[in-house]
Amino acid sequence: MSTSKVIGIVILVIIWIWLVWLLLSAGGMNLKNILIAAMTGIIIFVPLYKKYFGKE
């Protein structure tokens, strides 16, 4: 995997963590917000994992 792809994934992870932190700090830590954070993580990172780290 090239350096530019790694940098792009790292930036995406940092932005996602920042947005999840905003969600949990503004709405509180309850089951609904935790599930939203988990679902967005699955929607974002599972396809990226399959594309870049799956079968080669």
Side-chain angles (χ1 to χ4, degrees):
M1 189 161 39
S2 67
T3 306
S4 62
K5 290 179 184 177
V6 171
I7 291 171
I9 291 173
V10 168
I11 290 172
L12 184 63
V13 168
I14 291 170
I15 292 172
W16 180 79
I17 289 172
W18 176 63
L19 289 172
V20 168
W21 178 77
L22 285 176
L23 171 71
L24 294 177
S25 65
M29 181 147 328
N30 55 27
L31 182 61
K32 176 186 167 192
N33 289 342
I34 293 171
L35 287 175
I36 289 172
M39 286 186 285
T40 58
I42 290 169
I43 290 169
I44 292 171
F45 296 114
V46 168
L48 286 176
Y49 179 80
K50 286 182 179 179
K51 182 175 181 179
Y52 293 116
F53 301 108
K55 295 180 181 178
E56 293 183 13

